[in-house]
Amino acid sequence: MKATTVSYFLICLLIFLRVEMCFAQEEENELIYTPYVNQLGYNLGESKRFVCYGADDDSAFVIRNKSTGLVMYQGSMLNNEGWFTDFNPISTDEFIIEVEGHGKSVPFWIADQLLEKNATKLGYAFFMDVRGFPDLETYDMTQVYGGGPSRDGGAYGLETTFEILQYASNPALFDLWTKELGDDKVADLIDLILWHAEFAYKFHDYNGPVKNRHGTLGYRGMPRMNYDFWNTLDHLAAVCAAYHSFLKPYLSKEKYQKYRQLCLDKWEVYERHKVIRYWTYSRKWVDAGFQEFNEMGNAFGQSVFANLLMYECERHEPNGSPEKFLKWAYESAEDVIANWNFNNPRHMWWIRNAEHITPQSLAFYLLIAPEKAPEGTKAKLAAWAAHMKQKTNNFWQYRVHNETEWAHKKTKELGGAPALGGSMFAVAYVLNDPQLRSIGWAQVDFVYGVNPVGTHLGNKSRDRVEIDGFWEGVENGWPQSHPEGFGKLGKVRGTLDGSPLDGQFPIAKKVKVIEGKNEGKIFGKNAYATEGWNISNRGWMSTLTFSSLNRNHLKIFDESYENEITECRAGELVTIELKAALNQDWDKKDKGWVEVNGEKLTVIETGNNTGVFIATYKVGFDQKSLRACYGYLGFEKECEIKVVKK
């Protein structure tokens, strides 16, 4: 080889090596990730953690006050995680986490009932915005994808059931918002519930065309249903139960009895009394054909919810038949206990958005009628909890599919983490399992940015920000959106748009941000938007609902507010204390109410941003006891003391 040729070859080789070194340096730089935090922040007194991918074990991290720059907390990394559960500052300032060699996080708050303050209204506002036609007089099923009540859905959305549970969990909070629907003196959520109830009644036997849907309904070899009208009874059952607890002032007796009678007449005809299997025929590639359970209206545990709610209705009726519905709830729960297989993906993650109903239904049984639940209910939930602890034993605390997959390779996981938190909160409460509750908060963190993409699961579009439809305090939303999909969710408040697929785990190295559209399904290569869905948001609503368990409390003190009491004298003053997520304004004393001997009593926050609410109550001379209550339908917090004569 000539010298000039050798020299040329060496020069090219050096250039190539230099370029390769540059690319290697670039790649190395790309592997340095900042701390991923819950971009909103963390609730006081609850589990708190963040992930900093690639941080060495024992690397130092600090938490600084954003305003003052002062270091408020110090810790060290382990397995890509940093924990600071014991950091509970009383402050409205934001904080920032710094990890040695990895830079800073976005700012976040730590505050009393922060999640509830931030997300509660958006949780149900989504369902106001996504209705096919807000006017029931002109509602046209043929023009709504899936028929409704929510676009791209059907009656299997069970919106009414979970709206009722959400109101029941913290009623005074929802009474703050009254201006958007119907009577401006009635809570918007109540008006929404009544809208959904009337929708269900109007279309309880509708089997006509809808704009389109992903499958038909009915058993193999039987005539197909175009619309899943059987599920309308589940909506009405929830309304009938709520009539006796909180809907009576807003729903006429005549209308209630129409709803109730329809349920009584059609319950067995529509097979509401049992677990339904192999009922939906799906055309979706991910679950094509008949499946034992799926997200389209035959969820495992759905009949437990429905029959318990009818039991709750009927036990308040003079000539009711509560035993019949309790028997059906019992049999449905026994079916779940005997046949729910955690190792069968068709009972778990594969049914995606319906999965949360199964554990929540058994937990609801233990909330509403614990002494009447089948033997083995708690044991089954304890086994589920153990399974979930095993499956979330990773630094994301994400429930993995199996030994080789984190998540699905091609389809949305929005039925996972957003709803799984609610299931964990519900089960943790009935089992008194603080570890499971902690893992539940990790699912909330995942929604808010502690995930491989490092963003909230909702797209922060200009349209949503303009209508107050995005979560305050969240800097980075999901990189893409699908605004003109089947649900037309571009201008729907509180929409969840996407979640990491298997290709984004353990970390998404490059994420393409595209405003206002979804650029194809680049499976595994980009964090594409799988499109939000009302069924996904229903699961998120359940998380917001069941987070209230283990949080609210109600106590009665003497007049001095120094000693908690178990009895008082007639004519005395007592102090009633409520702890609930009613703290909406950090700069003033908020208000709420409790029910005392059946009457609402206003309670006022003890100071700006304390989250504790009190009222003074004078005990009547004819009272034999004093009973304070807050919440309904298994979410009640009750306190009763004896009244003695002077």
Side-chain angles (χ1 to χ4, degrees):
M1 187 180 289
K2 293 183 179 179
T4 53
T5 304
V6 172
S7 299
Y8 178 76
F9 172 77
L10 290 173
I11 291 169
C12 290
L13 180 62
L14 287 171
I15 293 172
F16 173 78
L17 291 173
R18 185 157 190 158
V19 169
E20 283 296 298
M21 289 174 63
C22 289
F23 280 133
Q25 185 64 45
E26 257 184 52
E27 185 67 21
E28 187 178 333
N29 290 337
E30 288 173 4
L31 296 178
I32 298 176
Y33 296 92
T34 59
Y36 288 174
V37 299
N38 183 318
Q39 295 180 71
L40 167 66
Y42 303 84
N43 278 31
L44 284 173
E46 300 285 5
S47 172
K48 305 178 192 70
R49 57 183 281 281
F50 69 94
V51 167
C52 188
Y53 187 76
D56 293 335
D57 288 353
D58 298 322
S59 296
F61 74 84
V62 299
I63 302 179
R64 292 186 187 274
N65 183 300
K66 181 186 174 185
S67 299
T68 66
L70 296 175
V71 172
M72 307 295 293
Y73 188 91
Q74 299 180 58
S76 56
M77 301 295 300
L78 179 63
N79 190 29
N80 299 297
E81 292 177 276
W83 290 86
F84 53 104
T85 298
D86 57 335
F87 182 48
N88 289 294
I90 305 302
S91 172
T92 58
D93 290 344
E94 288 186 299
F95 299 91
I96 290 175
I97 290 177
E98 298 177 8
V99 177
E100 183 180 311
H102 286 264
K104 302 178 180 179
S105 72
V106 297
F108 58 89
W109 287 296
I110 298 174
D112 178 59
Q113 318 294 355
L114 179 62
L115 173 68
E116 295 79 3
K117 178 181 186 299
N118 175 263
T120 297
K121 187 175 182 181
L122 288 179
Y124 73 85
F126 173 92
F127 289 100
M128 291 196 292
D129 293 354
V130 80
R131 290 172 296 164
F133 288 91
D135 183 359
L136 280 171
E137 294 300 318
T138 61
Y139 201 101
D140 184 355
M141 284 279 212
T142 67
Q143 298 303 309
V144 179
Y145 196 99
S150 300
R151 297 189 293 270
D152 191 14
Y156 64 87
L158 305 182
E159 296 92 333
T160 321
T161 299
F162 286 89
E163 288 160 2
I164 281 170
L165 295 180
Q166 191 180 30
Y167 185 89
S169 71
N170 196 17
L173 178 60
F174 297 99
D175 287 350
L176 298 176
W177 299 305
T178 63
K179 302 298 183 184
E180 291 194 55
L181 294 178
D183 188 338
D184 66 3
K185 294 182 180 178
V186 176
D188 292 327
L189 182 53
I190 295 287
D191 280 327
L192 181 62
I193 288 167
L194 297 176
W195 185 94
H196 276 122
E198 195 61 18
F199 176 96
Y201 186 78
K202 179 178 179 180
F203 294 107
H204 75 269
D205 58 357
Y206 181 82
N207 196 22
V210 299
K211 190 171 184 179
N212 203 343
R213 68 178 300 134
H214 293 299
T216 54
L217 305 134
Y219 296 108
R220 188 191 304 269
M222 301 294 288
R224 312 303 300 154
M225 285 185 255
N226 294 311
Y227 183 72
D228 53 316
F229 58 88
W230 284 7
N231 285 287
T232 57
L233 295 196
D234 294 60
H235 296 254
L236 294 175
V239 172
C240 290
Y243 175 79
H244 294 284
S245 54
F246 63 83
L247 279 181
K248 194 173 289 187
Y250 316 106
L251 179 63
S252 71
K253 185 176 182 179
E254 293 72 23
K255 189 168 283 190
Y256 154 70
Q257 287 293 358
K258 279 199 314 182
Y259 296 164
R260 173 177 174 251
Q261 193 59 49
L262 178 64
C263 288
L264 295 176
D265 292 344
K266 296 288 187 179
W267 202 256
E268 290 180 87
V269 177
Y270 286 3
E271 298 192 345
R272 300 295 88 191
H273 62 296
K274 67 177 186 177
V275 173
I276 296 176
R277 289 177 166 85
Y278 301 105
W279 183 67
T280 303
Y281 181 83
S282 174
R283 295 196 302 269
K284 291 184 178 180
W285 61 269
V286 68
D287 54 6
F290 285 95
Q291 307 295 339
E292 184 181 10
F293 302 109
N294 60 39
E295 60 195 355
M296 294 178 63
N298 57 333
F300 206 8
Q302 182 175 331
S303 58
V304 178
F305 265 123
N307 283 289
L308 284 174
L309 290 165
M310 279 305 293
Y311 160 74
E312 181 66 19
C313 164
E314 289 297 291
R315 76 182 185 88
H316 288 93
E317 287 291 333
N319 299 312
S321 51
E323 297 82 7
K324 177 171 65 174
F325 291 97
L326 185 63
K327 174 178 176 289
W328 289 332
Y330 189 96
E331 291 171 350
S332 295
E334 282 192 316
D335 188 328
V336 175
I337 293 166
N339 297 304
W340 186 18
N341 181 355
F342 310 141
N343 294 314
N344 181 350
R346 295 294 186 183
H347 291 189
M348 304 292 283
W349 55 264
W350 203 312
I351 58 173
R352 301 182 303 281
N353 295 291
E355 181 191 359
H356 72 96
I357 289 177
T358 320
Q360 289 174 13
S361 68
L362 291 186
F364 184 63
Y365 209 137
L366 295 175
L367 290 176
I368 206 163
E371 72 287 351
K372 301 179 188 299
E375 183 179 356
T377 303
K378 273 194 175 183
K380 190 69 175 186
L381 290 176
W384 178 85
H387 177 81
M388 284 297 164
K389 289 172 185 176
Q390 293 171 348
K391 291 295 185 180
T392 56
N393 187 24
N394 56 77
F395 61 85
W396 292 119
Q397 296 205 355
Y398 183 80
R399 188 275 307 273
V400 299
H401 281 187
N402 49 52
E403 296 300 321
T404 60
E405 260 187 7
W406 284 80
H408 203 285
K409 294 179 180 179
K410 295 185 178 182
T411 193
K412 57 187 162 191
E413 290 293 316
L414 276 173
L420 188 57
S423 299
M424 289 177 168
F425 291 147
V427 175
Y429 180 75
V430 298
L431 297 181
N432 190 23
D433 186 340
Q435 182 189 2
L436 187 64
R437 183 170 175 85
S438 173
I439 301 171
W441 281 109
Q443 310 312 303
V444 174
D445 296 339
F446 194 93
V447 173
Y448 276 86
V450 187
N451 62 61
V453 181
T455 70
H456 193 284
L457 301 187
N459 180 260
K460 191 176 182 179
S461 68
R462 288 188 291 266
D463 284 341
R464 289 182 188 152
V465 171
E466 287 173 0
I467 59 174
D468 294 327
F470 197 74
W471 294 265
E472 180 187 3
V474 174
E475 288 81 7
N476 303 312
W478 193 250
Q480 297 191 42
S481 63
H482 202 11
E484 295 305 318
F486 299 129
K488 304 294 182 186
L489 300 177
K491 293 186 179 181
V492 171
R493 291 171 291 178
T495 299
L496 303 178
D497 291 279
S499 62
L501 302 181
D502 195 58
Q504 279 89 54
F505 285 93
I507 196 75
K509 296 180 180 180
K510 291 182 180 180
V511 177
K512 189 175 183 181
V513 177
I514 301 175
E515 176 71 28
K517 67 176 182 177
N518 184 37
E519 192 179 78
K521 297 183 177 181
I522 312 172
F523 300 131
K525 296 183 179 179
N526 199 30
Y528 82 99
T530 54
E531 187 185 6
W533 199 14
N534 62 82
I535 312 299
S536 304
N537 270 76
R538 179 194 71 197
W540 174 237
M541 176 183 276
S542 78
T543 289
L544 299 176
T545 297
F546 288 111
S547 70
S548 67
L549 297 171
N550 255 357
R551 177 193 67 201
N552 297 352
H553 77 227
L554 192 60
K555 297 180 180 179
I556 301 176
F557 292 80
D558 59 15
E559 182 184 1
S560 69
Y561 191 31
E562 293 180 356
N563 304 301
E564 192 174 355
I565 57 176
T566 58
E567 67 175 41
C568 66
R569 293 187 179 277
E572 282 187 339
L573 292 173
V574 298
T575 303
I576 297 174
E577 178 189 88
L578 172 68
K579 174 75 172 175
L582 302 173
N583 184 13
Q584 289 291 298
D585 190 329
W586 289 343
D587 298 318
K588 73 174 187 181
K589 295 180 181 180
D590 287 298
K591 294 181 180 180
W593 53 260
V594 298
E595 290 187 4
V596 180
N597 288 0
E599 300 292 328
K600 287 184 179 179
L601 175 70
T602 299
V603 291
I604 301 174
E605 201 170 8
T606 56
N608 292 359
N609 201 25
T610 66
V612 177
F613 299 78
I614 62 171
T616 301
Y617 179 81
K618 186 172 183 179
V619 181
F621 287 98
D622 59 344
Q623 290 179 219
K624 295 181 180 180
S625 65
L626 189 154
R627 179 177 178 272
C629 183
Y630 186 72
Y632 309 103
L633 294 174
F635 292 89
E636 296 94 340
K637 297 299 178 185
E638 299 175 307
C639 190
E640 188 167 6
I641 65 172
K642 183 180 179 182
V643 177
V644 297
K645 301 296 183 182
K646 287 187 176 180

